[in-house]
């Protein structure tokens, strides 16, 4: 919640729910990551928030870009990144999209199975590939499934296969889970990565890079480690597993880069009870389908600010659509001031990442979340 | 899966995932509802699929429209519905949106608390309101939360309050849960509605209408009741609770009107295993964030067709995004042919409702689901 954002909202009074992102905070975050991990290259996870102003700022600061699709590759290029600063980090790619990225000059691709290697070998000959391995993700608020990555034993075969297919078997990646609050969560995966490096080295294949993924937490309601704490824990783990043969490293912050740079302005549409004496239901003009998708299963708990200063009591918080699942906090109700009124403005902090793009195109006729980058 | 849809896909071969809706099926569904419930007015739930062609067809057939927002009201008007055929059915409305709908001629509004009544009384003087009551929703696949409606005892006060505020206390509504496969699910709510009619009648307020909501199932994998079965069970329940003083009734089919009219064409991007001998993961170019949101918690299980005829084994089915929750069927894997190949086309049936509009605007850079109405 920065003064620039508050000033902007006061001055422009935008109609309807909207996200406001403060670029100064993004810049500070980028510089903090650089300081904390000076030996790692930063690949911003574009999917967290692909606003052109953010990409342009980061491109100017020297950031690289982790892209999930050809569309995101194009956004990074338009923002001023050269193709050698782009990673096509999605392990699930249409073969024609690999070809399109290669035609644009992209030479770094994620894989997690031999079939994907074959596609890259056909459409991006000579490119570098890194293999994603499965990782527990314990301690993350937005936990990872087994969707991405393969067993470390299989990763050896996948990278060997890539080498034999004429690609550069370049490294190993993993992801410890988004909003990972344990800086030591990287340790086990780094041990696996080091083991893969050793086995392949014995076969004459020298891997070069470890992609440490994202997972760096942003501040919601609870305290989180600073960039420095992450950096220290990760560097210690790298040294303990790789000894003196340190690999190149990449990090892919998304939420950690932009989460705390954004604030959503919302309006209270209705306050009601289901029966006399029941808990209050507070309905906002924003919900699961126009920006707050990450409240799914009440995973992410955002700080919510009101100008009212009355005593607070727990409320169920819900969105504006005619959809019964569009309820944000119910299992663990959210304390809001008892003197809150219909028409009041609420500010939802920490919403710079994973909000605008999750927004549905027109569910219930409501427009997607507006965004202002200042 | 109609011949017209198959012909369209063969002829036009659209690039990328897309939904194709056959208007002939929508027309058949409308006529079937009319036959099954000749005494009820049909209000199509626009949110299920607001494609202009669908709204235009239904307007021409004489349908009314249940709208969740001013935007949906405008869509219905553009499609040719007069304002007296529109219900603003969302119980959560901004006061300025009530005013906007009133200005367009809308005179029927949903409420479920006194605060909402006050808004309607201020902005839509003299309008008709119906009060939504809570309903169990047992037996529904897309279960309802307590988000909408109030306790029946409170509904009496809400409607009384509306009457005293100069509005027409018009009726009672409820919703038995989407994809409700038990035609007797309406019985308990109708008993509550009849009780509310009696209590208010004793106070000199004569309610006129019962809004039976939606919930009519569409055919996915399991057999469902026909429109006729729903009609019979509901009419029996109305007679048993209201005797000879039958109310006007409204139904609001959404899924039941368009669900089986649509087919999504998708492409297999990747087939892989996480370790030797593991279950196969099949990745499509469509997932939770570009159309199949209702696979959330594996709630809706769509029929999926392949031209391959090999033996089928269970697969985990996932979408194309770099998001770990973008997995459709994992707890209960989906059987797909063992000879399925990367690049194969799959047809996902029963996808005419609640797909295009749930689609995210650009998550991971992927465009929203394309739609063709034929």
């Amino acid at each position: 919640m920065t003064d620039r954002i508050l000033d902007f909202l006061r001055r422009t009074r935008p109609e309807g729910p909207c996200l406001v992102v403060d670029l100064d905070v993004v810049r500070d975050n980028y510089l903090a990551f650089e300081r904390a991990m000076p030996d790692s290259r930063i690949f911003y996870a574009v999917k967290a928030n692909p606003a052109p102003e953010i990409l342009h700022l980061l491109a100017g600061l020297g950031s690289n870009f982790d892209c999930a699709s050809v569309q995101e590759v194009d956004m990074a290029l338009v923002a001023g990144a050269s193709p050698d600063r782009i990673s096509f980090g999605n392990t699930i790619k249409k073969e024609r999209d690999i070809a399109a990225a290669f035609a644009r000059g992209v030479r770094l691709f994620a894989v997690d199975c031999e079939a994907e290697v074959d596609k890259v070998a056909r459409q991006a000959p000579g490119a570098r590939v890194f293999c994603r391995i499965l990782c527990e993700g314990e301690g993350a608020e937005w936990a990872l499934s087994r969707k991405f990555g393969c067993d470390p034993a299989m990763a050896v075969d996948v990278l060997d296969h890539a080498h034999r297919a004429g690609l550069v078997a370049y490294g190993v990646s993993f992801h410890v889970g988004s909003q990972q609050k344990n800086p030591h969560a990287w340790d086990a995966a780094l041990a696996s990565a080091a083991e893969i490096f050793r086995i392949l080295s014995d076969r004459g294949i020298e891997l070069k890079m470890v992609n440490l993924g994202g997972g760096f937490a942003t501040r919601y309601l609870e305290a989180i480690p600073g960039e420095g704490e992450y950096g220290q824990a990760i560097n210690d783990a790298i040294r303990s597993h790789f000894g003196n043969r340190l690999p190149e490293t990449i990090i892919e912050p998304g939420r950690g880069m932009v989460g705390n740079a954004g604030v959503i302005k919302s309006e209270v549409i209705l306050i009601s009870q289901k029966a006399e004496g029941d808990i209050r239901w507070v309905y906002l003009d924003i919900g699961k389908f126009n920006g707050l998708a990450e409240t799914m299963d009440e995973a992410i708990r955002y700080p919510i600010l009101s100008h009212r200063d009355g005593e607070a009591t727990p409320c169920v918080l819900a969105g504006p659509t005619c959809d019964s699942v569009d309820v944000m906090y119910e299992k663990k109700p959210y304390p809001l001031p008892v003197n809150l009124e219909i028409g009041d403005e609420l500010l939802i902090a920490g919403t710079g990442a994973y909000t605008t793009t999750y927004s549905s195109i027109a569910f219930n006729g409501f427009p997607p979340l507006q965004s202002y980058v200042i």
Side-chain angles (χ1 to χ4, degrees), chain A:
Chain A
M1 194 73 58
T2 67
D3 286 343
R4 293 185 69 222
I5 292 177
L6 295 175
D7 279 352
F8 174 84
L9 287 172
R10 244 191 314 265
R11 257 187 308 110
T12 63
R13 307 186 61 76
E15 159 70 19
C18 65
L19 169 70
V20 187
V21 175
D22 185 340
L23 284 177
D24 286 353
V25 180
V26 179
R27 180 183 293 107
D28 289 346
N29 289 338
Y30 181 85
L31 298 175
F33 275 117
E34 245 187 1
R35 272 194 309 275
M37 307 195 65
D39 301 325
S40 292
R41 289 173 74 196
I42 300 173
F43 282 69
Y44 172 59
V46 175
K47 59 183 176 292
N49 190 329
E53 300 89 338
I54 294 174
L55 302 184
H56 185 258
L57 168 76
L58 291 173
L61 288 169
S63 185
N64 306 279
F65 296 90
D66 164 40
C67 297
S69 64
V70 174
Q71 288 86 345
E72 287 193 353
V73 168
D74 284 339
M75 293 176 205
L77 291 172
V78 166
S82 50
D84 61 312
R85 286 162 62 190
I86 292 173
S87 162
F88 200 154
N90 194 338
T91 53
I92 310 153
K93 297 173 289 300
K94 287 185 178 172
E95 192 161 331
R96 54 191 181 275
D97 289 345
I98 296 169
F102 187 73
R104 287 158 172 77
V106 175
R107 295 292 180 270
L108 183 61
F109 296 85
V111 297
D112 68 357
C113 66
E114 295 191 5
E116 193 72 13
V117 166
D118 291 337
K119 289 191 237 168
V120 177
R122 280 192 294 269
Q123 302 300 336
R128 295 168 167 183
V129 295
F130 55 92
C131 184
R132 181 153 167 181
I133 57 174
L134 284 167
C135 185
E136 284 300 325
E138 216 171 301
E141 290 197 359
W142 190 248
L144 294 180
S145 62
R146 288 170 61 85
K147 182 176 178 186
F148 308 104
C150 64
D151 193 72
M154 187 181 258
V156 170
D157 296 334
V158 169
L159 287 164
D160 196 332
H161 185 74
H163 177 77
R164 282 181 284 113
L167 296 168
V168 179
Y170 195 60
V172 172
S173 78
F174 53 84
H175 200 295
V176 295
S178 198
Q179 186 70 3
Q180 173 56 261
K181 294 191 290 190
N182 176 9
H184 300 285
W186 280 257
D187 188 75
L190 280 165
S192 298
E195 177 69 12
I196 295 167
F197 270 61
R198 270 190 294 276
I199 297 172
L200 285 171
S201 179
D202 290 346
R203 299 190 196 172
I205 301 170
E206 302 296 340
L207 299 182
K208 297 268 189 316
M209 183 272 282
V210 175
N211 178 340
L212 302 161
F216 309 97
T218 197
R219 175 81 192 247
Y220 295 115
L221 286 169
E222 293 165 27
I224 54 154
E227 288 85 355
E229 278 179 79
Y230 284 113
Q232 186 68 49
I234 292 170
N235 280 327
D236 289 350
I238 293 173
R239 276 170 205 285
S240 100
H241 297 296
F242 285 88
N244 289 326
R245 302 189 57 183
L246 293 183
E248 299 171 23
T249 52
I250 278 178
I251 56 171
E252 296 174 335
R255 192 186 305 277
M257 189 75 86
V258 295
N260 67 340
V263 171
I264 283 176
K265 183 218 58 147
S266 175
E267 177 181 334
V268 176
I269 305 183
L270 184 64
I271 303 173
S272 67
Q273 289 165 299
K274 300 295 163 185
E276 293 299 337
D278 252 30
I279 191 167
R280 280 182 306 160
W281 280 66
V282 174
Y283 299 90
L284 305 183
D285 61 359
I286 187 159
K288 267 198 180 116
F289 299 110
N290 59 341
L292 301 181
E294 290 202 316
T295 58
M296 209 187 285
D297 299 325
E298 311 197 6
I300 301 284
R301 204 164 169 88
Y302 297 104
I304 302 177
L305 288 96
S306 157
H307 71 281
R308 307 267 176 195
D309 51 7
E311 179 204 353
T313 57
C315 301
V316 178
L317 209 64
T321 66
C322 276
D323 194 306
S324 53
V325 307
D326 187 11
V327 176
M328 284 145 343
Y329 303 118
E330 185 178 15
K331 283 176 243 166
K332 191 177 169 191
Y334 202 100
L336 289 172
V338 288
N339 55 352
L340 192 73
E341 285 185 14
I342 294 172
D344 274 8
E345 185 175 290
L346 290 179
L347 296 180
I348 308 174
T351 43
Y354 299 113
T355 49
T356 47
T357 51
Y358 266 121
S359 185
S360 71
I361 183 165
F363 194 50
N364 277 222
F366 294 117
L369 184 61
Q370 280 300 308
S371 163
Y372 304 93
V373 181
I374 60 173

